[in-house]
Amino acid sequence: MTPDQVVDLFSRLAADDPAPETELQSVNTYTLLVAVVLSAQATDAGVNKATRDLFADVRTPAQMVALGEDGLKRHIRTIGLFNTKAKNVIALSQALIDEHGGEVPADRDALERLPGVGRKTANVVMNVAFGAETFAVDTHIFRVCNRTGLAPGKTPAKVEAGLEAVVPGPFRLHAHHWLILHGRYVCKARRPDCWRCSIADLCRFEPKTPAPALKTA
C-alpha cells in the first residue's frame, strides 16, 4: 500500500469506531495482564465469562497467590490450556510480588520476562494500560495485514515490524485494536464480509466475497 492508502485505510476504520477498546474485561492493570495471558488460543468472550467471578474477589498478585493454582483452575477450567495457564498466572503473580512490589511494570522487556507472557501479551498490556504505541499481532491482525497488503509478512514479528514502519502517527495508538476488531467481525478467517467492508477497495484480497443471496419465499 502507498502511504496515502494507509492513511485512507485507518481514517475509514477510525470513522467507523473512533475510540476502540479491548473486549477483555478487567478491573485494573493486574487483572488485564491476567486476562490477556488467559486469552491465548481462547475467545475474549470465553475469558470474560470465566473471569467474571474470579475478578470479583481476586484483584492483586497477593490474592492470586493466596487462591493458589488449584483454586484458579476451578475458575478457568472452561478455557483452553487452563492447566498451563493457571501455573503461569500463579508464577507471574509471585514474580510481580518478588521483583516489582506487586505492581505490573510499565516496561515491555520486564513484562516479557514474566512467566507465560510473550511479546503479544506484553504489547497489549503496554498499549491498553500504559498508552504505548504498540502492535499486538494476533491471528486477526496477521490475517488482515496479509490480506490487505498493509503489512504483509510470514511471521507475527515480520507483520509487527511492517506495522511499525507504515502506520502514521495519528493512528498508532489505536491501530492494533482497529485491525483486531476488523478481523474479528468483518475480515473473518473462513469467509470475509468483503461486501460490507469499508476498506474493500484498498484491499488486495481476491476474489472479493459477494453479499449473501436474498432468500426468496
Side-chain angles (χ1 to χ4, degrees):
M1 283 189 177
T2 67
D4 285 346
Q5 288 175 321
V6 173
V7 170
D8 195 3
L9 180 148
F10 282 110
S11 296
R12 297 185 198 182
L13 295 180
D16 292 339
D17 188 359
E21 296 180 347
T22 179
E23 294 185 327
L24 285 171
Q25 296 171 1
S26 61
V27 296
N28 56 26
T29 303
Y30 169 69
T31 56
L32 171 68
L33 172 60
V34 172
V36 179
V37 169
L38 295 178
S39 71
Q41 300 183 49
T43 65
D44 287 3
V47 172
N48 291 339
K49 184 177 180 179
T51 58
R52 192 168 294 119
D53 291 339
L54 174 66
F55 292 160
D57 298 320
V58 177
R59 301 186 174 200
T60 69
Q63 290 172 335
M64 187 68 77
V65 171
L67 177 66
E69 193 172 324
D70 288 339
L72 177 55
K73 286 179 183 179
R74 286 194 291 271
H75 284 279
I76 67 170
R77 58 187 171 215
T78 57
I79 300 174
L81 306 176
F82 73 93
N83 285 311
T84 298
K85 290 175 180 179
K87 181 178 180 179
N88 284 335
V89 168
I90 297 300
L92 75 83
S93 299
Q94 189 64 59
L96 289 175
I97 294 169
D98 295 342
E99 302 169 21
H100 301 285
E103 299 295 325
V104 177
D107 178 89
R108 183 163 59 187
D109 292 337
L111 286 168
E112 288 191 62
R113 287 194 290 270
L114 295 172
V117 177
R119 187 172 182 85
K120 179 174 72 70
T121 295
N123 279 341
V124 172
V125 174
M126 289 300 298
N127 179 268
V128 175
F130 302 115
E133 296 175 349
T134 54
F135 306 99
V137 179
D138 70 349
T139 57
H140 298 301
I141 288 187
F142 186 81
R143 179 172 66 255
V144 171
C145 286
N146 276 287
R147 278 181 176 171
T148 61
L150 172 65
K154 293 184 177 180
T155 66
K158 291 288 187 183
V159 171
E160 182 181 344
L163 289 171
E164 288 281 3
V166 304
V167 180
F171 304 109
R172 293 179 70 85
L173 179 60
H174 293 312
H176 96 267
H177 276 127
W178 282 317
L179 294 172
I180 286 172
L181 295 171
H182 189 70
R184 184 173 292 163
Y185 296 113
V186 180
C187 194
K188 303 169 190 176
R190 297 185 68 179
R191 187 175 174 84
D193 290 352
C194 301
W195 53 276
R196 66 181 186 91
C197 175
S198 63
I199 59 172
D201 59 307
L202 300 172
C203 174
R204 71 181 187 184
F205 177 77
E206 294 293 347
K208 297 289 193 292
T209 307
L214 295 175
K215 293 182 179 181
T216 56

